[in-house]
Amino acid sequence: MSDGTEVRRPSEGDTATGTEVRAEDQFAQQHAEEAAAPPAVGAGTAGTAAAVGDSPRQASLWGDAWGELRRSPLFIACALVALTIVAMAIAPGLFTRTNPRACSLTNSLTPPGPGAVFGYDLQGCDLYANIIYGARPSIIIGFLAAGAATLFGAAVGAIAGYYGGWFDAVVARIADIVFAVPLILGGIVILSALPSRGVWQIALMLVLLGWPQIMRLMRSQVISVKEADYVQAARALGASDGRIMARHILPNAIAPVVVYATIYIGVVIGAEATLTFLGVGLQLPAISWGVLLSEAQNRLLQAPHLLLFPGSILVVTILAFLTMGDVLRDALDPRLR
Amino acid sequence: MPSDLNREPRTPGEPLLRVEHLVKHFPLTQGIIFKRTIGAVQAVDDVSFELRRGETLGLVGESGCGKTTTAKTLLRLEEPTSGAAYFNGQDIFRLSRGELRTARRKIQIIFQDPYASLNPRMTIGDIITEAWEIHPDVVPRAERSDRARDLLERVGLPGESLNRYPHQFSGGQRQRVGIARALTLNPDLIICDEPVSALDVSVQAQVINLLEEIQDEFGIAYIFVAHDLSVVRHISDRVAVMYLGRIVEIGDEDDIYEKATHPYTQALLSAVPVPNPEGREHRTRIMLEGDLPNPADPPSGCRFRTRCFKAQEKCAEEDPALIDRSGHGHPSACHFPEVLLSVGS
């Protein structure tokens, strides 16, 4: 390495101020020659300083995702559907003045017509009012079950992923057992064993059967994030486990879980309707979409509107939540931008 | 470098860091709930070295030789299997959680990949000041943003960078942020884990220079991990060459680059590209055969013997200790140490 181009500490005569540029020059030049490229000392600093100067916007994952979502017609349409359904659940009075329980048998099975846009059911109750009032149990169960499953699953998954060890092993085995139980079959078995079945029981059952999905998702996210260099750096600074979790791991791990939670709302609403239709969910005199559907099943040919309207709104609602989840997933993935 | 002038004369006495017989084995397990250990990857096997205050030790070797694991165990990011590391006279492997928190202030790390080492959800300001939130007594709350600004400017970034996010910066700039973060707690030792390997060559020089300036200014010792002998030569006072979890040769710049006695060091040196075509043809190139042996099942005797051009029967039977056998002035873990004049310079 006596050919003169090899990096060498500048001789001891150099002063502190004069050395930097020379050493930099020498070092860069040597490498630049190896790469057969012109020496580019200083270019990096100049170019990047300009890049810093002209981007005043503070970008963040959620901020960018929101910008993306606002410009997506699909997301806006789905969000409007979801908001409408939620509004129905909160204040059904805004959508209909008819009392869903004010029924007259003379109207039994009357098809849609003036005075009743969706027609009347077997008992002669207004179907439109029933659908409006039936949104509440679906939405309550949907948000409650998806919310609780997400909180529980994410908490367990985060602890299992972060600490590993026996807790992780035990939780993973329990999750496997729950996975082996099909959602509907498990629902039928559990609910038919209960003395009374209401919104709470159904929601609890859907949490019990739904949390492992979220747990697995969260666990794998945490495992992949916890090895990241910035987590190691925080640990090297002396950060506590709680701080590492709250500041570093969760913000970087939560996005897919939020996406799945949105989709799970749709799944839960569908599952509630299915279980009710099968006769193990909500029971008359409760008003819900599943109850309406189960009433419709025996008179499908005679009165198809009984199936058509509750079925459509159920499908549209579920579709809205599933699609929102999908669009959200794409918006949260920077690689797709 | 001016560091050679400014540095305090090396006084004998307690070094800043003394690593003794550091071992890190990663157990290989089988089974789902009841795990059985069926072997161990010997990532680091009996590594000892010393580091003086303000000194730079280069740690060189090919990937998988245990240099990064050595670095991470010193920070207790990996728990060592056995051994001791006395830092300021305190064995950092025997510290309790609370003591470790305090000790960690004095050892910091700079990572290889500047894209993975900064939390993408935090602003540069949050990243810099986090250390002071964890150790509130270092900088009073009111002064934090000014101090963060000063630090950023010290590493060559505009002070306004505080409010920006990592993805708005280039690799070289991110690495500067990483350096600023490592400086927040006024450490005595910074472990640089291949800090320039992921950067463009022109930016590499700037970052290396910055590291040297900072060393002169604050008197920080570095353990500089790299796989590139020429980068290490530029910054290191002493160099340790690692192979398969062991240090095979350690010495100062002259010992390693001019008087290397271990065949592995010689092979590495002969692989350094020479930019000047004149005389390049006359250099001996040592081509190593085969791949790195499985670290879970290292060769008997000398670990390098399977790829060594000098290997003899003795090498398979006896593990060569890291000692100065032939009076070359620095230790080398080879039964047949000898200086090859045709490699390196």
Side-chain angles (χ1 to χ4, degrees):
Chain A
M1 307 196 177
S2 52
D3 50 41
T5 43
E6 176 51 47
V7 184
R8 195 182 302 132
R9 288 165 171 275
S11 62
E12 303 201 334
D14 284 326
T15 61
T17 44
T19 322
E20 189 204 335
V21 179
R22 279 198 39 209
E24 197 167 312
D25 221 298
Q26 206 176 28
F27 188 67
Q29 200 170 350
Q30 178 233 347
H31 280 282
E33 276 170 18
E34 280 170 22
V41 182
T45 342
T48 42
V52 171
D54 60 6
S55 69
R57 188 177 67 106
Q58 280 198 8
S60 68
L61 182 86
W62 294 98
D64 285 350
W66 175 235
E68 186 106 327
L69 292 177
R70 262 188 327 193
R71 275 177 276 119
S72 158
L74 190 61
F75 181 81
I76 291 175
C78 292
L80 284 179
V81 170
L83 284 176
T84 311
I85 305 292
V86 170
M88 276 183 202
I90 295 170
L94 288 177
F95 293 85
T96 177
R97 292 232 174 87
T98 317
N99 183 348
R101 300 198 193 277
C103 311
S104 158
L105 278 176
T106 52
N107 292 329
S108 179
L109 298 181
T110 309
V117 280
F118 286 180
Y120 293 91
D121 70 2
L122 182 65
Q123 305 296 328
C125 311
D126 183 71
L127 190 57
Y128 176 71
N130 265 282
I131 288 175
I132 298 294
Y133 279 85
R136 184 173 286 174
S138 293
I139 290 297
I140 291 178
I141 291 175
F143 278 80
L144 199 67
T150 304
L151 284 181
F152 182 70
V156 172
I159 295 169
Y162 189 70
Y163 291 105
W166 66 267
F167 183 78
D168 186 30
V170 170
V171 165
R173 275 344 98 196
I174 295 175
D176 282 348
I177 293 168
V178 178
F179 263 123
V181 181
L183 184 68
I184 299 304
L185 180 63
I188 293 172
V189 171
I190 296 172
L191 288 175
S192 55
L194 292 176
S196 71
R197 302 191 286 269
V199 168
W200 294 99
Q201 284 84 352
I202 297 174
L204 182 68
M205 195 277 304
L206 289 167
V207 170
L208 284 180
L209 293 177
W211 70 270
Q213 300 268 10
I214 308 252
M215 188 281 290
R216 281 200 171 172
L217 193 59
M218 191 69 194
R219 176 180 172 275
S220 65
Q221 282 289 310
V222 168
I223 287 176
S224 72
V225 173
K226 81 169 176 180
E227 295 302 326
D229 283 349
Y230 54 81
V231 175
Q232 306 270 327
R235 196 164 284 145
L237 290 173
S240 60
D241 284 351
R243 165 178 282 273
I244 287 173
M245 201 56 151
R247 296 291 306 269
H248 297 280
I249 294 186
L250 283 185
N252 287 290
I254 202 74
V257 175
V258 171
V259 169
Y260 186 77
T262 312
I263 293 174
Y264 196 58
I265 294 175
V267 172
V268 166
I269 291 173
E272 181 271 323
T274 311
L275 291 169
T276 302
F277 178 82
L278 292 173
V280 291
L282 297 173
Q283 309 283 309
L284 281 172
I287 300 172
S288 92
W289 297 339
V291 170
L292 293 175
L293 286 173
S294 88
E295 275 185 63
Q297 63 174 321
N298 296 327
R299 294 168 188 81
L300 193 53
L301 294 177
Q302 195 186 348
H305 65 279
L306 288 189
L307 180 76
L308 188 67
F309 293 113
S312 306
I313 193 146
L314 182 68
V315 167
V316 167
T317 307
I318 295 172
L319 199 62
F321 280 105
L322 298 188
T323 314
M324 272 200 294
D326 264 357
V327 179
L328 188 60
R329 170 168 47 210
D330 290 352
L332 284 172
D333 189 346
R335 282 166 301 183
L336 294 179
R337 279 195 206 118
Chain B
M1 279 274 78
S3 53
D4 293 330
L5 284 178
N6 301 346
R7 198 165 288 150
E8 306 251 322
R10 285 168 189 161
T11 45
E14 184 66 8
L16 177 67
L17 175 71
R18 196 172 78 241
V19 178
E20 288 177 353
H21 308 293
L22 171 62
V23 176
K24 173 67 187 177
H25 289 183
F26 291 99
L28 295 170
T29 54
Q30 244 180 15
I32 297 169
I33 298 181
F34 304 103
K35 295 195 161 70
R36 287 179 303 125
T37 305
I38 54 165
V41 172
Q42 304 180 7
V44 179
D45 200 47
D46 197 10
V47 161
S48 306
F49 61 87
E50 287 185 358
L51 184 70
R52 286 177 289 264
R53 204 165 275 279
E55 186 189 33
T56 303
L57 174 72
L59 209 53
V60 191
E62 59 198 307
S63 30
C65 73
K67 50 194 196 300
T68 296
T69 309
T70 305
K72 289 199 167 161
T73 16
L74 293 178
L75 284 156
R76 289 272 297 265
L77 293 176
E78 300 279 2
E79 290 298 322
T81 309
S82 67
Y86 297 95
F87 180 74
N88 283 330
Q90 215 180 7
D91 184 358
I92 43 182
F93 296 160
R94 308 252 173 318
L95 295 181
S96 69
R97 268 176 98 84
E99 292 167 328
L100 186 61
R101 232 170 101 84
T102 326
R104 269 179 170 161
R105 289 182 186 194
K106 292 295 166 194
I107 311 181
Q108 285 299 309
I109 183 165
I110 298 169
F111 289 94
Q112 171 175 13
D113 181 359
Y115 292 89
S117 62
L118 305 178
N119 186 339
R121 305 267 187 282
M122 285 167 78
T123 62
I124 304 302
D126 288 340
I127 290 170
I128 303 284
T129 53
E130 180 171 38
W132 300 326
E133 283 173 26
I134 299 167
H135 304 282
D137 50 312
V138 178
V139 178
R141 181 172 294 275
E143 291 171 29
R144 284 181 194 163
S145 100
D146 286 340
R147 280 286 291 275
R149 198 175 293 270
D150 291 346
L151 258 181
L152 281 179
E153 280 164 7
R154 180 64 200 82
V155 297
L157 290 173
E160 307 85 71
S161 313
L162 279 182
N163 294 323
R164 302 192 200 292
Y165 283 87
H167 72 257
Q168 293 170 297
F169 294 88
S170 69
Q173 288 174 316
R174 283 160 171 246
Q175 203 57 299
R176 286 170 194 267
V177 175
I179 294 170
R181 173 177 58 194
L183 291 173
T184 47
L185 297 174
N186 310 315
D188 290 332
L189 168 63
I190 296 182
I191 291 171
C192 308
D193 186 5
E194 308 209 25
V196 297
S197 306
L199 303 176
D200 286 349
V201 278
S202 60
V203 181
Q204 283 190 352
Q206 297 167 8
V207 170
I208 296 250
N209 276 309
L210 176 63
L211 286 171
E212 291 198 319
E213 286 166 30
I214 284 167
Q215 182 166 50
D216 295 340
E217 199 173 320
F218 302 102
I220 301 169
Y222 291 145
I223 291 179
F224 197 95
V225 178
H227 56 249
D228 182 342
L229 271 171
S230 58
V231 168
V232 170
R233 182 177 201 177
H234 187 66
I235 194 167
S236 301
D237 300 306
R238 285 188 307 138
V239 177
V241 179
M242 284 189 75
Y243 183 81
L244 214 63
R246 296 258 174 95
I247 291 180
V248 296
E249 189 163 12
I250 184 166
D252 61 26
E253 186 197 319
D254 194 43
D255 291 333
I256 299 296
Y257 290 88
E258 312 289 343
K259 295 189 295 194
T261 61
H262 196 281
Y264 180 62
T265 313
Q266 291 162 354
L268 283 183
L269 283 172
S270 83
V272 172
V274 176
N276 188 351
E278 220 169 289
R280 183 157 65 179
E281 263 73 72
H282 307 297
R283 219 166 58 129
T284 315
R285 282 227 52 195
I286 303 169
M287 305 293 286
L288 290 183
E289 283 169 17
D291 291 324
L292 206 61
N294 179 4
D297 182 23
S300 66
C302 172
R303 294 189 163 201
F304 184 57
R305 69 174 168 86
T306 51
R307 297 168 76 190
C308 183
F309 53 93
K310 280 186 186 170
Q312 297 181 20
E313 246 168 64
K314 184 184 183 188
C315 302
E317 288 156 9
E318 200 182 317
D319 194 357
L322 181 64
I323 48 169
D324 183 12
R325 278 183 189 72
S326 48
H328 286 103
H330 68 278
S332 165
C334 180
H335 289 304
F336 311 103
E338 108 192 86
V339 177
L340 282 186
L341 288 175
S342 53
V343 293
S345 312

